C-alpha cells in the first residue's frame, strides 16, 4: 500500500509539473575550494576571525547534512527553471515561477543515502524523502531524489521532473571551473523573460530595453585569486544586434594618461564601444539644469571640465561636508528627489542605445587631493592581465584614495570626545593602497569578455572601513544609552 501511494504521488507530481524550462544554472565549487577562498579573503581583510566564521557557516551547510560530504574537486549545481506554460503565455510574469533543483556530487552510495533518511521510499528509481532539502528536521516537506546510473550524482527537488532534469547538468558540472568559487549561467530563455518583464515595468527607458534585447546568454564567475577578488564574465549577444557591433576597435597605448595625477576614478572607451555609460556635454547640462529646477544647486559641490583629453569631474568634498555639518537647508532640504528622478527618467527614455560612439575618457577628482600613484600605474598593478589582452574599454576606481580624500573632512562629524578612540581606525583609513577596483572589456571572436577585480590591498581597506563603521555605530549607541541614563536620573529626581 505504501509503495502504491508513493507511486501515485510521484506520478501526480510528474504530470503536474511537466513543462519546466531550464533557463540557467549556478555552480558552486567543492568544499576545499570554498574554504581556501574564505581563508584568502580573511587574510586580505586582516581578520582571520571573520574568515573562521564564514568557514564555519560553509561547514554547517544544510545540503551537506542532507547528502553527506561532496566529492573532492567536484562542484554542485543548481539548475534554474521557469514554468514553460507561463513563459509562453506571459513572459513578463514568468519569473514568479522561478524554481531550482540541486545536482549534488555525492560521495556515499544510494543505499547509504537511504539509511541517512529513515522512512524513504523508492518508486521507478525516484527516492521519496520525507524531509526538506534545507531543513532536514522538517518532515512535512517531500524531496524527490534521483541518482545517476553511475551513482556519482544526485538530482533533488520538491518536483520529480526537476530532480530528473537536474541530471542533465552533469556534462557542464564535470568541466573545470577554472578557479571560480561560483559561476552563474543565464540562458536566452531567461533573457527573453527579463526583457518582457522590463518592458512591463514603468519608467524603464528605451536605451536599457535595447541593450537588454541584445543579450543571448551570459556566464559570470566569482573567484578569489592571489591578487584579489575577481569577477569574470563571458557575454554572447544576438547576431546583428546593436551590442554585437561594439568593441571592434581597441584602446591605444597608455589610455589612462589623460587622467593626470589627481584622478581617483577613470573610465576609457575606444570608438564604437556603445553609448550606455557615456556622459556628454548635453547630458551634463541637462542634469545640472534638472537638479536646479528641483531645488539642488549641484554646481556648489561639483564642476565639470572638458578638453580634447576628455571629461574631468571635480568633487568639492570640503564644501559638501561644510554644507552637511551646518545643515544648510538651502543646499539639501529643498531638493525634490522624487520629482528629479521622474523627470530624469523621462529624459533618458528618449535616448536610444547605439554602438556608434566616439572615443571616450572620463576622470573623477576630489578637489585639493592628489593620490600617491597615477591611475595608469594603479590599473596595471591591479589588473596585470590587461597587458596580454586588447581591451576596448577599461576603468579604475580607488576606494582607499576616496576614503583618504574625505577622511580629513568627515572626521569633523565624529564627536571630539570619541576621536581619541577612533583615531587608530581613522589613521588606517587614511592609508592609500596602490591597488583598487579595475575592470576591462575585450572581444574574443564573437564573445565579449569582462574582467573585474578588487585588489587584495583594497579588500584590506574595506575591512578597515567596516571596522570604523562598527566602532562609530557602537559609540553612537553608547551616547544614546548615556542620554537615556541621564533622562532616567532626571525622572528619578522628579
Amino acid at each position: 500500500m505504501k509503495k502504491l501511494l508513493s507511486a501515485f504521488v510521484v506520478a501526480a507530481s510528474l504530470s503536474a509539473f511537466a513543462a519546466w524550462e531550464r533557463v540557467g544554472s549556478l555552480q558552486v565549487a567543492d568544499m576545499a575550494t570554498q574554504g581556501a577562498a574564505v581563508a584568502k579573503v580573511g587574510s586580505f581583510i586582516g581578520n582571520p576571525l571573520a574568515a573562521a566564521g564564514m568557514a564555519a557557516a560553509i561547514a554547517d551547510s544544510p545540503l551537506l547534512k542532507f547528502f553527506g560530504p561532496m566529492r573532492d574537486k567536484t562542484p554542485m549545481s543548481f539548475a534554474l527553471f521557469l514554468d514553460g506554460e507561463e513563459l509562453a503565455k506571459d513572459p513578463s510574469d514568468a519569473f514568479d515561477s522561478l524554481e531550482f533543483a540541486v545536482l549534488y556530487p555525492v560521495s556515499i552510495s544510494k543505499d547509504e543515502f537511504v539509511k541517512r533518511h529513515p522512512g524513504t521510499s523508492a518508486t521507478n528509481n525516484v527516492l521519496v524523502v520525507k524531509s526538506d532539502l534545507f531543513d532536514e528536521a522538517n518532515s512535512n516537506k517531500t524531496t524527490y531524489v534521483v541518482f545517476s546510473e553511475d551513482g556519482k550524482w544526485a538530482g533533488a527537488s520538491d518536483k520529480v521532473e526537476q530532480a530528473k532534469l537536474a541530471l542533465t547538468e552533469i556534462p557542464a558540472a564535470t568541466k573545470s571551473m577554472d578557479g571560480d568559487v561560483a559561476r552563474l549561467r543565464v540562458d536566452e530563455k531567461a533573457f527573453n523573460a527579463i526583457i518582457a518583464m522590463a518592458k512591463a515595468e514603468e519608467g524603464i527607458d528605451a536605451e536599457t530595453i535595447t541593450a537588454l534585447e541584445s543579450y543571448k546568454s551570459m556566464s559570470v564567475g566569482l573567484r578569489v585569486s592571489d591578487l584579489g577578488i575577481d569577477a569574470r564574465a563571458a557575454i554572447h549577444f544576438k547576431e546583428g544586434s546593436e551590442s554585437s557591433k561594439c568593441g571592434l576597435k581597441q584602446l591605444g597605448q597608455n589610455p589612462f594618461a589623460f587622467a593626470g595625477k589627481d584622478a581617483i576614478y577613470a573610465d576609457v572607451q575606444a570608438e564604437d564601444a556603445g553609448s550606455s555609460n557615456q556622459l556628454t556635454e548635453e547630458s551634463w547640462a541637462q542634469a545640472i539644469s534638472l537638479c536646479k529646477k528641483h531645488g539642488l544647486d549641484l554646481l556648489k559641490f561639483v564642476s565639470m571640465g572638458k578638453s580634447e583629453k576628455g571629461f574631468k569631474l571635480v568633487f568639492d568634498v570640503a564644501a559638501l561636508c561644510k554644507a552637511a555639518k551646518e545643515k544648510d537647508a538651502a543646499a539639501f532640504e529643498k531638493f525634490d528627489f522624487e520629482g528629479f528622478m521622474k523627470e530624469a527618467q523621462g529624459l533618458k527614455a528618449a535616448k536610444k542605445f547605439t554602438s556608434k560612439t566616439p572615443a571616450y575618457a572620463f576622470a573623477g577628482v576630489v578637489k585639493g587631493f592628489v593620490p600617491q600613484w597615477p591611475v595608469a600605474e594603479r590599473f596595471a598593478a591591479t589588473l596585470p592581465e590587461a597587458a596580454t589582452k586588447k581591451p576596448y574599454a577599461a576603468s579604475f576606481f580607488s576606494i582607499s584614495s576616496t576614503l583618504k580624500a574625505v577622511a580629513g573632512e568627515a572626521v569633523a562629524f565624529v564627536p571630539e570626545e570619541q576621536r581619541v578612540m577612533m583615531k587608530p581606525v581613522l589613521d588606517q583609513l587614511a592609508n592609500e593602497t596602490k591597488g583598487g577596483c579595475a575592470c576591462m572589456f575585450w572581444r574574443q571572436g564573437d564573445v565579449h569578455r569582462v574582467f573585474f577585480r578588487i585588489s587584495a590591498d583594497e579588500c584590506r581597506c574595506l575591512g578597515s572601513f567596516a571596522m570604523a563603521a562598527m566602532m562609530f555605530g557602537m559609540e553612537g549607541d553608547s551616547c544614546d544609552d548615556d542620554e537615556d541614563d541621564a533622562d532616567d536620573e532626571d525622572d528619578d529626581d522628579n
Side-chain angles (χ1 to χ4, degrees):
M1 185 67 180
K2 184 177 179 181
K3 288 185 177 180
L4 184 63
L5 183 60
S6 296
F8 174 77
V9 170
V10 169
S13 175
L14 186 58
S15 62
F17 297 96
W20 292 102
E21 294 275 5
R22 179 200 181 279
V23 295
S25 66
L26 173 66
Q27 280 183 286
V28 180
D30 64 287
M31 300 300 292
T33 302
Q34 291 181 55
V38 165
K40 275 188 180 179
V41 171
S43 68
F44 292 165
I45 65 176
N47 190 340
L49 288 177
M54 288 187 282
I58 292 171
D60 196 42
S61 163
L63 291 178
L64 267 175
K65 296 175 182 177
F66 188 88
F67 289 107
M70 296 172 65
R71 288 201 315 279
D72 289 341
K73 300 179 182 178
T74 310
M76 64 175 144
S77 294
F78 298 83
L80 308 177
F81 301 102
L82 292 178
D83 187 317
E85 292 180 7
E86 289 293 324
L87 195 59
K89 183 174 65 177
D90 188 356
S92 65
D93 288 333
F95 267 95
D96 291 341
S97 68
L98 182 66
E99 294 192 15
F100 67 89
V102 177
L103 176 68
Y104 196 86
V106 289
S107 61
I108 61 175
S109 69
K110 186 175 180 180
D111 290 340
E112 288 175 303
F113 175 81
V114 171
K115 289 177 183 177
R116 289 177 69 94
H117 299 280
T120 294
S121 57
T123 304
N124 296 328
N125 294 320
V126 177
L127 300 178
V128 183
V129 184
K130 290 299 180 182
S131 175
D132 185 79
L133 262 174
F134 296 94
D135 183 6
E136 196 174 18
N138 187 353
S139 60
N140 294 323
K141 295 286 185 72
T142 299
T143 300
Y144 301 100
V145 179
V146 182
F147 273 71
S148 61
E149 288 187 12
D150 61 8
K152 292 183 177 181
W153 300 90
S157 171
D158 60 352
K159 312 287 191 305
V160 173
E161 183 65 8
Q162 290 181 8
K164 290 184 175 182
L165 286 172
L167 295 181
T168 63
E169 296 291 310
I170 293 175
T174 55
K175 294 179 181 178
S176 169
M177 289 187 68
D178 190 25
D180 286 344
V181 179
R183 182 179 292 167
L184 174 68
R185 291 185 176 89
V186 183
D187 297 344
E188 187 172 4
K189 289 176 182 177
F191 276 113
N192 290 339
I194 291 169
I195 294 162
M197 188 169 60
K199 287 180 176 179
E201 287 289 322
E202 290 185 16
I204 300 294
D205 56 271
E207 188 176 36
T208 300
I209 295 294
T210 304
L212 280 174
E213 285 179 329
S214 295
Y215 282 84
K216 183 177 181 180
S217 64
M218 178 172 64
S219 173
V220 182
L222 182 70
R223 73 173 182 180
V224 183
S225 66
D226 291 335
L227 295 178
I229 300 174
D230 304 340
R232 299 175 296 171
I235 304 168
H236 291 81
F237 291 113
K238 293 173 183 173
E239 188 177 352
S241 66
E242 201 63 22
S243 293
S244 71
K245 302 171 187 175
C246 295
L248 294 172
K249 298 178 181 178
Q250 290 82 44
L251 294 169
Q253 292 293 318
N254 199 11
F256 288 109
F258 84 97
K261 295 181 179 179
D262 55 353
I264 287 175
Y265 169 79
D267 179 23
V268 288
Q269 298 174 24
E271 286 183 70
D272 302 338
S275 60
S276 288
N277 299 315
Q278 291 197 357
L279 178 73
T280 64
E281 290 179 272
E282 181 186 5
S283 60
W284 171 251
Q286 286 178 335
I288 292 298
S289 175
L290 205 55
C291 280
K292 198 161 189 176
K293 176 181 176 180
H294 290 281
L296 176 63
D297 186 0
L298 199 61
L299 292 178
K300 286 184 177 181
F301 313 114
V302 295
S303 61
M304 177 70 78
K306 174 73 168 66
S307 68
E308 291 181 5
K309 295 181 178 179
F311 293 96
K312 180 170 282 191
L313 186 67
V314 180
F315 293 87
D316 191 339
V317 173
L320 181 63
C321 288
K322 184 174 183 291
K325 190 176 182 186
E326 294 175 358
K327 298 180 180 177
D328 187 349
F332 302 112
E333 291 181 10
K334 292 181 181 179
F335 183 45
D336 178 11
F337 180 74
E338 189 175 330
F340 166 79
M341 288 302 297
K342 186 175 182 180
E343 198 165 344
Q345 286 175 346
L347 287 173
K348 194 176 180 185
K351 293 178 64 180
K352 289 186 177 180
F353 176 79
T354 176
S355 61
K356 300 297 292 181
T357 52
Y360 177 76
F362 177 91
V365 171
V366 173
K367 185 178 179 180
F369 177 78
V370 178
Q372 192 172 344
W373 305 272
V375 164
E377 188 177 339
R378 302 175 86 172
F379 177 84
T382 304
L383 207 57
E385 292 89 345
T388 62
K389 307 298 179 186
K390 294 180 179 179
Y392 63 82
S395 62
F396 178 85
F397 173 63
S398 172
I399 298 171
S400 67
S401 293
T402 303
L403 290 173
K404 183 174 182 178
V406 304
E409 299 294 337
V411 73
F413 291 91
V414 180
E416 193 169 346
E417 64 275 11
Q418 296 177 24
R419 290 179 193 173
V420 174
M421 182 178 177
M422 293 287 292
K423 187 176 184 304
V425 179
L426 292 172
D427 288 344
Q428 184 65 32
L429 290 179
N431 288 329
E432 282 186 276
T433 60
K434 188 172 185 178
C437 304
C439 186
M440 65 174 171
F441 297 73
W442 75 100
R443 288 187 66 144
Q444 190 172 325
D446 291 334
V447 182
H448 292 246
R449 295 196 175 274
V450 187
F451 195 145
F452 171 81
R453 171 177 290 146
I454 303 177
S455 66
D457 52 2
E458 190 85 315
C459 291
R460 195 170 299 115
C461 167
L462 288 171
S464 299
F465 179 71
M467 181 63 70
M470 287 173 60
M471 288 183 67
F472 189 70
M474 288 189 291
E475 285 296 314
D477 291 341
S478 176
C479 288
D480 291 341
D481 292 341
D482 290 343
E483 289 174 5
D484 290 342
D485 291 343
D487 291 341
D488 291 342
E489 289 173 8
D490 292 340
D491 291 341
D492 290 343
D493 290 340
N494 293 331

